[in-house]
Amino acid sequence: PWIVLKAVLTLVPEWQTPERLFFHSHTEDSRLLAYYSVLCGFREEHLSLATRTSLRQHELHYRGERETQHTGLQSLLQCAIDNQHIWYKSTTFSTENSDGKYISPFHDIPLYADEAKNIFHAVVEVPRWTNAKMEIATKDPMNPLKQDMKKGNLRYVCNVFPHKGYIWNYGAIPQTWEDPGHKDGDTGCCGDNDPIDICDIGNKVCTRGEVIRVKVLGTLALIDEGETDWKVIVINVEDPEAEDFNDIDDVRRLKPGYLEATVDWFKMYKVPDGKPENQFAFNSEFKNRDFAIKTIKDTHRYWQALIMNTTEAGELNCMNTCVTDSPFICTCSDAKAIIDSADAYGDPEPIPSSADKWYYYSK
């Protein structure tokens, strides 16, 4: 079948680049089982993705299926008693690595899905309409996705009327880093020490931990407690409307009110916690696609210095299994030992009623 697939891709070149998504789901024993496989290209390789995560009343289980004989990605869930961890695993049908190897979503997932077209990978940390503050744990070995803690409790972002949860699929672009030692010439503030954030405006509500391919449209320069925190506006290339969106003005034209709501959301989301309203550079105006892509590439260069140990990492954990020239690269067995030593799977904590509360403020 791989010979047939290769022949078809050769005969139909346009099929070599777009991601192909096949989705099927059914219910069994009160669980929603979903199976999908993805075919997409990066540097002549293809990406196969899967995610397993635990939600309120049921569990979503995703099983990646091989589409090619090249490297893919698969994410696995481990849930501690007081927290969730989503670990990522690269799978390959090779005799020396038939079970795959664990990878870091921060360091090992490639920046580009298609470099020639400026299509990037993005890791979805928080699906739209949810407010559990999941994020790449940049200070933990192998950087799993896990829920942030606040005063010993799992953190949920407050709902400021009229918004409920995050109003986009929220996540980060791998192999980027907003360097806290670099003062941005445009914002006048240093980076926030995290991968660069994305807001996916597509129609699909993604799955927690999902890796998607995105087209960049623009960016907003949030100043969060004195730090530069870029929010890159993107759209999933698999969105049926993706071809209509090529720059930030297309969002303003085709989704009127969305950009204004985005500014309002980021301005107010920490106010219920007793913090002041957030500020923005550029008088709260969005910068265009070209500016955003340049910003992403800048943060990729900062990440390259980080992963090669030519800049100070501080508390960040740079353990990886795929960046061959990095002094932080580890063996597959070392990475597996990290995952095996994690807390055993336990029952998820119930979502507190406060996570559904609405907060109201005068404009």
Side-chain angles (χ1 to χ4, degrees), residues 153-344:
N153 297 311
L154 296 175
R155 182 183 172 196
Y156 294 86
V157 170
C158 296
N159 307 299
V160 178
F161 185 84
H163 310 302
K164 176 63 176 73
Y166 285 68
I167 61 175
W168 349 255
N169 297 304
Y170 187 76
I173 296 178
Q175 296 190 343
T176 63
W177 178 51
E178 297 195 54
D179 184 357
H182 172 77
K183 186 175 182 179
D184 188 276
D186 294 309
T187 68
C189 298
C190 295
D192 70 347
N193 205 31
D194 283 326
I196 199 166
D197 298 319
I198 61 99
C199 302
D200 165 39
I201 66 167
N203 292 295
K204 175 187 174 183
V205 178
C206 291
T207 304
R208 184 180 300 148
E210 187 173 350
V211 181
I212 59 176
R213 301 166 67 237
V214 298
K215 180 194 294 189
V216 172
L217 306 175
T219 189
L220 178 68
L222 172 66
I223 307 301
D224 191 348
E225 300 183 33
E227 297 176 331
T228 301
D229 190 4
W230 294 103
K231 305 299 179 184
V232 182
I233 307 302
V234 304
I235 189 167
N236 190 334
V237 296
E238 282 298 317
D239 191 280
E241 299 175 353
E243 291 186 359
D244 298 328
F245 291 84
N246 297 291
D247 213 323
I248 198 66
D249 286 339
D250 295 325
V251 184
R252 191 172 286 110
R253 176 173 57 89
L254 298 172
K255 293 182 182 260
Y258 208 166
L259 296 181
E260 293 80 0
T262 295
V263 171
D264 182 66
W265 195 97
F266 282 117
K267 179 180 179 180
M268 301 298 296
Y269 82 104
K270 288 188 175 181
V271 172
D273 295 325
K275 296 184 178 180
E277 295 178 359
N278 278 323
Q279 303 299 313
F280 305 88
F282 308 110
N283 196 32
S284 304
E285 292 294 324
F286 288 81
K287 305 302 286 186
N288 65 16
R289 171 185 180 271
D290 290 342
F291 187 101
I293 290 175
K294 178 184 180 299
T295 301
I296 293 169
K297 291 181 178 181
D298 286 344
T299 60
H300 179 59
R301 285 196 296 271
Y302 304 148
W303 170 83
Q304 287 176 317
L306 174 71
I307 203 67
M308 294 302 169
N309 201 29
T310 60
T311 192
E312 179 60 43
E315 295 181 339
L316 297 182
N317 195 298
C318 297
M319 187 177 184
N320 68 86
T321 57
C322 298
V323 187
T324 54
D325 295 329
S326 171
F328 302 107
I329 194 169
C330 68
T331 65
C332 297
S333 58
D334 288 339
K336 185 177 184 299
I338 293 294
I339 280 75
D340 290 343
S341 66
D343 293 331

Side-chain angles (χ1 to χ4, degrees), residues 78-139:
Q78 289 196 359
C79 183
I81 293 176
D82 63 346
N83 215 336
Q84 275 194 111
H85 298 76
I86 299 178
W87 306 95
Y88 284 76
K89 193 173 186 181
S90 173
T91 58
T92 177
F93 279 165
S94 61
T95 56
E96 68 273 14
N97 192 23
S98 59
D99 293 330
K101 64 180 179 181
Y102 288 100
I103 62 171
S104 159
F106 184 9
H107 304 301
D108 291 321
I109 297 176
L111 171 73
Y112 289 105
D114 187 334
E115 185 171 3
K117 295 182 178 180
N118 281 317
I119 303 298
F120 299 88
H121 287 122
V123 178
V124 176
E125 298 167 314
V126 187
R128 189 167 74 239
W129 310 139
T130 68
N131 56 355
K133 188 65 173 74
M134 301 289 293
E135 57 188 19
I136 295 173
T138 58
K139 299 177 183 178

